Amino acid sequence: MPIYQDQILASLPAHAQFLTFERKSGSTAKASLLALQSIFDNDSMLVGIGASLTKTLNCVIEGLKPMPSLQSGAISIPTSHGALWVRVSGGDPGECMFRAESVIQAVAEGFVLSEQVPAFTHRQNRDLSGYEDGTENPEGDDALKTAIIQSDKVGINGSSFVAVQSWVHDIKHLKSMPQTDQDHIIGRRLSDNEELDDAPVSAHVKRTAQESFTPEAFMWRRSLPWTQNGRCGLHFICFATSYYPFEVQLKRMIGMEDGITDGLFEFSRPVTGAYFWCPPVDASGLNLSALI
């Protein structure tokens, strides 16, 4: 079986911080990656590598690429990229703060922090809209097969691709709508999370039904709500063995497939987006053998 970063499939943490870094111009990334490797904790950290960093290191991770920007009608999907991505987690915000600082200091020689998003679990894995997130996640062995790459290549076996987006919600606008209209945006009842038979074709659960794509587009979602500087939303995270599931679902959401826009855009928009590759682990910790 592949050996993967535990936090990919672990239960969502009570609190987390998402850190995105860009490489410092003129610096060498190798020393900072080794410093990060030395403090890596498989119980509280997730590490992802961006395509720009692999280019700097003169290595190729097959399948890793920058996230493409997309446009359909009035809906645009921005990209922000990033060389290095780290999620630290803990039982309280203070614990996360100290872990985040240790990461920032460890990689300071080669990387500069470009984004820091504090996040948390809300009401048993609910989005701030009140609706449960990740209801259709695969379970058990299916989750493992969906999220974790199985390969005979050393340094690749046990790795994963991750898509990361920050969505900003207009909760005031959403809550001004009748409850039935809110339910139709999502395609589920807020009261019991049951899928609605009479939901419109624009309902989010209909637009993103994983089995409705050819081939099927299953992914492992591990998103968390966030709030910062008077704004709030969902830090969307999904893992898979390729970026195909994320891309085909997003293209359908914005109407590129049939001109129908996902109801989610009634109250939410993505403001950042990036792709990363999560290295495997071995007995000594984070396995960076495919990179350095």
Side-chain angles (χ1 to χ4, degrees):
M1 293 296 291
I3 303 173
Y4 50 87
Q5 295 187 50
D6 282 350
Q7 291 302 298
I8 294 175
L9 294 178
S11 299
L12 286 170
H15 294 274
Q17 285 201 22
F18 294 94
L19 312 172
T20 304
F21 299 87
E22 297 293 349
R23 191 177 68 85
K24 283 185 177 178
S25 179
S27 66
T28 58
K30 183 176 179 179
S32 290
L33 287 177
L34 291 174
L36 179 61
Q37 185 183 44
S38 71
I39 66 167
F40 176 75
D41 177 9
N42 206 21
D43 293 327
S44 64
M45 291 176 63
L46 261 173
V47 173
I49 305 296
S52 63
L53 182 52
T54 60
K55 184 177 181 180
T56 298
L57 296 170
N58 294 315
C59 65
V60 175
I61 301 298
E62 186 177 351
L64 177 61
K65 60 181 182 179
M67 179 184 287
S69 58
L70 301 174
Q71 179 80 39
S72 180
I75 305 296
S76 61
I77 304 298
T79 58
S80 49
H81 307 300
L84 176 67
W85 174 80
V86 181
R87 190 199 80 181
V88 296
S89 58
D92 62 67
E95 190 174 20
C96 290
M97 181 196 73
F98 287 116
R99 286 176 175 160
E101 284 303 312
S102 69
V103 171
I104 293 168
Q105 292 177 22
V107 304
E109 180 181 338
F111 298 92
V112 59
L113 184 69
S114 60
E115 183 183 45
Q116 185 170 9
V117 180
F120 50 89
T121 300
H122 173 61
R123 294 179 55 200
Q124 297 181 325
N125 301 343
R126 290 180 181 266
D127 176 57
L128 293 175
S129 64
Y131 292 89
E132 186 173 331
D133 184 69
T135 299
E136 298 298 323
N137 263 343
E139 299 179 353
D141 288 344
D142 289 335
L144 182 68
K145 293 175 183 177
T146 296
I148 307 300
I149 296 170
Q150 299 187 44
S151 170
D152 57 4
K153 296 181 180 179
V154 176
I156 301 298
N157 188 46
S159 64
S160 182
F161 292 111
V162 60
V164 179
Q165 289 179 307
S166 245
W167 288 67
V168 176
H169 292 349
D170 186 342
I171 294 294
K172 183 178 180 180
H173 173 61
L174 176 68
K175 295 306 179 182
S176 72
M177 302 170 65
Q179 189 58 57
T180 299
D181 291 354
Q182 295 180 46
D183 291 348
H184 281 171
I185 284 176
I186 305 300
R188 293 182 181 275
R189 282 193 300 267
L190 179 65
S191 59
D192 59 10
N193 200 40
E194 286 298 315
E195 192 166 337
L196 301 173
D197 293 332
D198 62 345
V201 292
S202 60
H204 181 59
V205 298
K206 287 190 173 182
R207 304 304 294 160
T208 58
Q210 298 173 105
E211 66 280 357
S212 67
F213 296 88
T214 305
E216 294 179 335
F218 285 95
M219 57 190 184
W220 175 247
R221 295 176 56 162
R222 304 314 277 154
S223 309
L224 287 170
W226 63 271
T227 179
Q228 190 176 34
N229 299 328
R231 300 198 302 172
C232 69
L234 186 73
H235 209 60
F236 177 85
I237 309 292
C238 73
F239 297 90
T241 56
S242 76
Y243 297 116
Y244 162 79
F246 172 77
E247 288 188 355
V248 295
Q249 289 196 34
L250 191 58
K251 287 177 180 179
R252 182 184 286 178
M253 286 176 65
I254 66 174
M256 290 181 69
E257 186 180 89
D258 54 12
I260 300 172
T261 301
D262 193 304
L264 202 64
F265 289 100
E266 175 67 28
F267 74 96
S268 191
R269 288 287 192 281
V271 293
T272 65
Y275 285 160
F276 300 96
W277 172 74
C278 298
V281 297
D282 56 25
S284 60
L286 194 64
N287 184 342
L288 300 178
S289 61
L291 302 174
I292 55 180

